[in-house]
Amino acid sequence: MKNRIKEILSWYKSENPGTLRNLYQILNTGRLGGTGKMVILPVDQGFEHGPARSFAPNPPGYDPSYHASLAVKAKLNAHAAPLGSMEILAPEYSGQIPLILKANNHDSMDMGADPITALTASVDDALRLGCAAIGFTIYPGSSNFKQMYEEVREMALEAKMAGLAVVVWSYPRGSSLSKEGETAVDIVAYAAQIAAQLGAHIIKVKPPSGRIELEAAKTIYDKYNIPIGTLTDRVRHVIQSAFNGKRIVIFSGGPAKGKKEVLEEISQINEGGGFGSIIGRNSFQRPEEDALAFLKEILDVYSK
Amino acid sequence: MKNRIKEILSWYKSENPGTLRNLYQILNTGRLGGTGKMVILPVDQGFEHGPARSFAPNPPGYDPSYHASLAVKAKLNAHAAPLGSMEILAPEYSGQIPLILKANNHDSMDMGADPITALTASVDDALRLGCAAIGFTIYPGSSNFKQMYEEVREMALEAKMAGLAVVVWSYPRGSSLSKEGETAVDIVAYAAQIAAQLGAHIIKVKPPSGRIELEAAKTIYDKYNIPIGTLTDRVRHVIQSAFNGKRIVIFSGGPAKGKKEVLEEISQINEGGGFGSIIGRNSFQRPEEDALAFLKEILDVYSK
Amino acid sequence: MKNRIKEILSWYKSENPGTLRNLYQILNTGRLGGTGKMVILPVDQGFEHGPARSFAPNPPGYDPSYHASLAVKAKLNAHAAPLGSMEILAPEYSGQIPLILKANNHDSMDMGADPITALTASVDDALRLGCAAIGFTIYPGSSNFKQMYEEVREMALEAKMAGLAVVVWSYPRGSSLSKEGETAVDIVAYAAQIAAQLGAHIIKVKPPSGRIELEAAKTIYDKYNIPIGTLTDRVRHVIQSAFNGKRIVIFSGGPAKGKKEVLEEISQINEGGGFGSIIGRNSFQRPEEDALAFLKEILDVYSK
Amino acid sequence: MKNRIKEILSWYKSENPGTLRNLYQILNTGRLGGTGKMVILPVDQGFEHGPARSFAPNPPGYDPSYHASLAVKAKLNAHAAPLGSMEILAPEYSGQIPLILKANNHDSMDMGADPITALTASVDDALRLGCAAIGFTIYPGSSNFKQMYEEVREMALEAKMAGLAVVVWSYPRGSSLSKEGETAVDIVAYAAQIAAQLGAHIIKVKPPSGRIELEAAKTIYDKYNIPIGTLTDRVRHVIQSAFNGKRIVIFSGGPAKGKKEVLEEISQINEGGGFGSIIGRNSFQRPEEDALAFLKEILDVYSK
Amino acid sequence: MKNRIKEILSWYKSENPGTLRNLYQILNTGRLGGTGKMVILPVDQGFEHGPARSFAPNPPGYDPSYHASLAVKAKLNAHAAPLGSMEILAPEYSGQIPLILKANNHDSMDMGADPITALTASVDDALRLGCAAIGFTIYPGSSNFKQMYEEVREMALEAKMAGLAVVVWSYPRGSSLSKEGETAVDIVAYAAQIAAQLGAHIIKVKPPSGRIELEAAKTIYDKYNIPIGTLTDRVRHVIQSAFNGKRIVIFSGGPAKGKKEVLEEISQINEGGGFGSIIGRNSFQRPEEDALAFLKEILDVYSK
């Protein structure tokens, strides 16, 4: 085992061998295998945003198998998808790449100010489909926080008992936050902390902006001169906020944008100690060849 | 096994043999058996709209056995009914035609803007009554989405564990949608995607209109020039939205109307790659002989 | 077995022998035994309306045993009561007359527009107390419909698994209905249909008035000229609405009134194909001798 | 066994021997043992009203053991307390006097118009602590009635299965009642009936006033000339309302007041057929010697 | 066993040996071991207030292991932390110091007037992580009281069955209390009583102020001249309110402040019979050496 992988796994000593095996596999799959960095392809946009909005830019993506194939060809670390997609692709791909079953979802017909996820898969589903991990979205800042935290906590324990790894997408949103506050650096750091405390092994957050949302936090950031000037600074602070770097925190790419912009962002994430990226729309919405080339460039950044 | 049936079943490889057997039986029953097309007779209108509104036009329909008998005589693929009806008809018909137990319902005394279904049957009921599948209605767009999605997900898993197939009626409705939006093409496609992601094997939606409901979707349909000019186009898009055609999607007929109109609609559904139809009021509200003749014409379309 | 009883039991072929035995016993007890007609004495008014309002007119009725004794002496088919009453009377009467445990209740201190029942007994209670059936009230038209339908459905399945029969009191009430609408003929027919679909073996409704409540229904009653001019007509329509007569539907007497009026009503119910009556306040609020004489007259009507 | 005890136990024939044993022990403990009368010391005021309000008048009462000791010394029938108190006192007193575990509570920081109790102990707690019975408060007239009735019903069944007795404090309160209505005679009688129907073995209500709360009840009390002029009359009516005297109904003393007043009240309760009293603040808020002397006088009344 | 420890454990005789062992270990660990006093280091502020607000003043604290190490070096009695932190530190520290798993949490993005905690860990987690106890926060005075009390009660029983000790943080807060009322002496005493009644073995409250919040309580404090003039008086009253001193009650330090102020407060708590302190921000937000020196001074006070 590479030293960096040994080090990372040493933070998860309270987990049983089944979970360690699945974390090991995610960390050792694909071109970044053994580096301690990871890039994951998540595709739940069909559920979250609707099929045409997600797949019309590159129609082969209507087929769930396309994404698993793309993740394998691009030599990524893992692929995440909701239940129905997983039922299609798992029989062929469960042995080829670690699969993360996205176990809750929210569709964009609901426009309530305080979002809540619906449980759409279970640990039993993850086991029968040969997945390595189970994944959840939580919305800290929503008035529905109690229900979501508890659903995650309960299923996370069940997953750990069954030897699965647990991935949490922590996306602050709700009536107690401003729209810009959702990516404010204090809020993103807080979101990483909450996911870590709920027992997540891998945490996904959005790249933090320079804004500070909560009054009580502002005083502290000023008083202690916490560096948040560059994205690299802010990534470093978020990583620190997740147990001083002892939890795997990766960053999303957000809506499709210029390649250069994405690569620059990833470069800063890497420099700040980020463990990697979740690249969804920025890959699967491009034609396959283009996507593969672009993912190669992203892996190049993390391989430096 | 016919090639087309082999192909269809290949999309459901993650299911256990019990479920595959029941899907196989639905696909191989009646005159369309072996073609990959299906016509199903669903009769839950007694619960959903009230008995007189449903059965006064053809009074033998007050007796649940009438419908099972009609479905058998018309050589359809399956018959769907709620618990009480099923308890009447199953002892005689469970061996003659695959039965789909409708496991949730909503009566029309409730006029709330955000509808919710009540669970009215269970997997245990489906098993003791010899059914091949269990069916659910969901209302995407209702503020009660979480509860309905979770009830379906939980019972769908239970059904799969017990070797049953799962059918979902996905009918967008609720305060976040306009009345016309319920059948808008973006919404119907989204509804098909959600049902597929919840793990449905067979999905039933309404024929989509040319309207686009969600602002965010409109931009995409324009930008990518998604063809939605004819019903055939729209059906093709809906089928694509359900895993690029890898899920069985069938279409409802809606309220009783002229035969010609129905046949024209079905012809376009067939041409667009629709897997078939659910024909309720358009069959059981006509006198038996008339209904049988009309269903024959419908099967003719799908046999072409 | 009498032919009529054979015929009735043939509608319940999906039930297991335990449930058939209990239905058989209800149909074969008392003076109407073997005729397919039944009169049941239900006494839950202590809970529903309060003790003095229920029993002051005939004080021996404060003792639950009085009612079981009255039902036996009057040669009725069964006696229904809530948990506490049943705990008093069952040790002496469970062998003498089929007992129906009323498993949910609503007290009249609650005056909400959308009533909801509280579960006040369970299938385990019914079994330990030697009951033949379990009974529930539902309020179709209440915004609380989902909870009540689901509680009934779940306990009905449990009851059937344990070999009990299921009785449903279907009383439309709630903010979506007018006061007069609660007994409108379309609503009573709809209530019978819903109870039947929820899996009830015996359904109790109120005698329907000539009113039609729902706009959508009115059109149909007019168009198809459904006869609803007399109570006999309306009873026939309600019976038809419960699976074309394949479910036992009985009618309540309502508040105590003149004997002649009651007998006239029952005569019309009988003529319309009603399976019998539930006679509560009209019997137990009269002195015992008077009640016995009156019940005899009622049985005379159903024996014709 | 004394004849009166035999008679009382004959009303509980549907219970299993474990429960009968515990009822027997409560009826046969202390100076009133064998008379069919009982006085119980309940101390949940620490939780319900706060510690200082409850125990400052007699500070030894801050220690839960004090109360158990007082009940034993005063030769009462049983002692009731919440979980924490019971955990302190049970190891020493469970063999000396029957203990009633108060399993739900409500604190007076909550001032909502429609009170609801929180479950604060379970049947498993009662069993591990050697209790003879489990006790609950319900608030008929609260809009939260469904939840409370169902919690009591479910735990009552569990208690009976485990051989425990069930005590219900039935205290009407909520937005559908006036403040004075909480002790109106029709409401107290109704409260006794509801507790009895929920399966309580021992029912505790407040002494009823001469007021009648519900319009529908007033008509009946007038028409049938139900005697409610004196407390004795009213107690007799309440006893009658609990299955014509076939359930043990005892009365609370309410806030501490003059001894003479209490004794006069108890004398009337006894004369009206009341089965006894629950004496809380009127005993434990007096110095021990004083309390013992006073309780002796109360037992004298019930011994007559 | 020291006499004082024997005495303390004698108050918990109803607990099984597993729980007694864990209480014994907490009472016998560190420099205060055997004295009956205890100081605990709780660190859940990362979840409750956010990471930067909690750990920026002393950045090593971002790492959960830092706190366990600090508690061991300072010779404290126990360390409390939420799930994620515990998963990091338990493998190394579970044998060195008793661990208390904080099983519910509330983040400060939620600003509702009636706070509610989310369950964030379970008894199964505490067991697999080798903890000695499980801890909960309740907010008496919140309209959500029922849910919190019941969650604590249910998990407390489960914990006792599994041989764990139970710690309750009882922090009055909610729309029925004024801001100052949260630390009013009547409210803090009431909070201690409620935690004790819910079955807590160790209770944590805030140091009470001289204010009296509830009208009904004010009358009593005046009438009985309860001494509340000094913090020592008030601590004595709070200890009395938790079963006359038969439950371990410890006090929090609140926000970081001057050392002298803290030591003075602790001195008064000790004099009033307080069992010890929970020292969070006042220790972990200082540099390690400083914190160790300060904790030494605190232990000095309790060793007197």
Side-chain angles (χ1 to χ4, degrees), chain D residues 170-275:
Chain D
S170 194
Y171 286 177
R173 208 171 124 197
S175 58
S176 68
L177 295 176
S178 70
K179 188 67 202 161
E180 298 75 33
E182 296 174 2
T183 50
V185 65
D186 60 326
I187 293 299
V188 173
Y190 202 162
Q193 163 77 205
I194 288 173
Q197 291 291 15
L198 292 173
H201 301 120
I202 300 175
I203 297 160
K204 182 188 162 288
V205 293
K206 294 188 179 167
S209 76
R211 179 188 171 95
I212 295 177
E213 174 77 359
L214 300 174
E215 269 317 304
K218 203 165 292 183
T219 325
I220 296 294
Y221 280 84
D222 288 354
K223 184 168 169 195
Y224 293 95
N225 258 316
I226 303 176
I228 54 169
T230 66
L231 179 57
T232 299
D233 289 337
R234 297 190 293 265
V235 164
R236 190 168 291 125
H237 176 63
V238 170
I239 296 293
Q240 186 186 40
S241 296
F243 299 164
N244 220 16
K246 290 185 174 172
R247 280 293 171 265
I248 299 169
V249 181
I250 58 181
F251 294 81
S252 62
K257 43 197 166 192
K259 291 185 185 182
K260 212 169 155 184
E261 208 182 333
V262 174
L263 288 170
E264 173 51 30
E265 205 174 86
I266 282 172
S267 184
Q268 292 203 39
I269 290 168
N270 190 36
E271 208 170 323
F275 288 74

Side-chain angles (χ1 to χ4, degrees), chain A residues 192-216:
Chain A
Q193 164 77 205
I194 287 173
Q197 291 292 14
L198 292 174
H201 300 120
I202 299 176
I203 296 160
K204 183 189 161 289
V205 293
K206 293 189 179 165
S209 76
R211 178 189 173 95
I212 295 177
E213 173 78 359
L214 299 174
E215 270 315 306

Side-chain angles (χ1 to χ4, degrees), chain A residues 43 45-46 49-63 66-67 281 284-287, chain B residues 186 189 193 216-228 237 240-241 244:
Chain A
V43 188
Q45 288 81 356
H49 305 151
R53 281 177 65 193
S54 306
F55 308 124
N58 180 36
Y62 281 110
D63 183 344
Y66 171 79
H67 306 286
R281 281 170 288 175
F284 73 72
Q285 291 188 343
R286 299 179 200 275
Chain B
D186 61 325
Q193 163 78 205
K218 204 165 289 183
T219 324
I220 296 294
Y221 280 82
D222 288 354
K223 186 170 169 194
Y224 293 95
N225 257 316
I226 303 177
I228 54 169
H237 176 62
Q240 187 186 40
S241 295
N244 219 17

Side-chain angles (χ1 to χ4, degrees), chain A residues 25-149:
Chain A
Q25 292 207 344
I26 295 170
L27 286 161
N28 283 279
T29 295
R31 195 179 133 204
L32 295 177
T35 65
K37 300 278 173 172
M38 61 176 67
V39 172
I40 293 175
L41 176 67
V43 188
D44 62 355
Q45 288 81 356
F47 200 127
E48 303 276 330
H49 305 151
R53 281 177 65 193
S54 306
F55 308 124
N58 180 36
Y62 281 110
D63 183 344
S65 296
Y66 171 79
H67 306 286
S69 164
L70 180 69
V72 168
K73 286 183 191 165
K75 301 182 181 168
L76 305 186
N77 297 68
H79 174 55
L83 180 65
S85 295
M86 202 59 95
E87 289 180 325
I88 292 269
L89 66 88
E92 187 172 349
Y93 291 96
S94 66
Q96 299 185 43
I97 189 166
L99 298 174
I100 301 166
L101 181 60
K102 188 75 196 318
N104 63 10
N105 283 99
H106 172 258
D107 68 64
S108 52
M109 278 178 262
D110 176 62
M111 293 162 186
D114 286 289
I116 187 161
T117 46
L119 289 172
T120 52
S122 70
V123 169
D124 282 339
D125 288 310
L127 293 171
R128 73 180 169 96
L129 295 170
C131 300
I134 192 153
F136 305 93
T137 297
I138 54 172
Y139 298 116
S142 166
S143 61
N144 295 306
F145 74 95
K146 179 179 170 68
Q147 203 173 343
M148 289 184 285
Y149 292 2

Side-chain angles (χ1 to χ4, degrees), chain E residues 178-189 206-214 217-219 221-222 225-235 237-238 251 265 268:
Chain E
S178 70
K179 187 69 202 161
E180 299 75 34
E182 295 174 2
T183 52
V185 65
D186 61 325
I187 293 299
V188 173
K206 294 189 178 164
S209 76
R211 178 189 172 96
I212 295 176
E213 173 78 358
L214 300 174
K218 204 165 289 182
T219 326
Y221 281 83
D222 289 353
N225 257 316
I226 303 176
I228 55 168
T230 66
L231 179 58
T232 299
D233 288 337
R234 297 190 292 268
V235 164
H237 176 63
V238 169
F251 294 81
E265 205 175 89
Q268 291 203 39

Side-chain angles (χ1 to χ4, degrees), chain B residues 1-174:
Chain B
M1 197 173 357
K2 297 264 175 72
N3 281 343
R4 176 60 178 162
I5 302 303
K6 261 190 198 162
E7 186 189 2
I8 290 175
L9 290 180
S10 77
W11 309 328
Y12 298 93
K13 275 185 196 150
S14 60
E15 301 304 340
N16 64 37
T19 297
L20 292 176
R21 170 195 176 216
N22 279 312
L23 283 172
Y24 182 91
Q25 292 207 343
I26 295 171
L27 286 160
N28 284 279
T29 295
R31 194 178 135 205
L32 295 176
T35 65
K37 301 278 174 171
M38 61 175 66
V39 172
I40 294 174
L41 176 68
V43 188
D44 61 358
Q45 288 81 355
F47 200 125
E48 303 277 330
H49 305 151
R53 279 176 67 195
S54 306
F55 307 124
N58 179 36
Y62 280 109
D63 183 345
S65 296
Y66 171 79
H67 305 286
S69 163
L70 180 68
V72 168
K73 285 184 191 164
K75 301 181 180 167
L76 305 187
N77 295 69
H79 175 55
L83 180 65
S85 295
M86 202 60 93
E87 290 180 326
I88 292 270
L89 66 88
E92 186 172 351
Y93 291 96
S94 66
Q96 299 185 44
I97 188 167
L99 297 173
I100 301 166
L101 181 60
K102 188 75 195 318
N104 64 10
N105 284 99
H106 172 258
D107 68 63
S108 52
M109 277 178 261
D110 176 61
M111 292 160 187
D114 285 289
I116 188 161
T117 46
L119 289 173
T120 52
S122 70
V123 169
D124 282 339
D125 287 311
L127 292 172
R128 72 179 169 95
L129 295 169
C131 299
I134 193 153
F136 305 92
T137 297
I138 55 171
Y139 298 116
S142 167
S143 61
N144 295 307
F145 73 96
K146 179 179 169 70
Q147 204 173 343
M148 289 184 285
Y149 292 2
E150 294 186 353
E151 287 168 356
V152 168
R153 190 209 67 72
E154 194 179 330
M155 286 181 69
L157 177 60
E158 197 188 340
K160 291 170 185 182
M161 296 299 190
L164 296 176
V166 175
V167 184
V168 172
W169 280 242
S170 194
Y171 286 177
R173 208 171 124 194

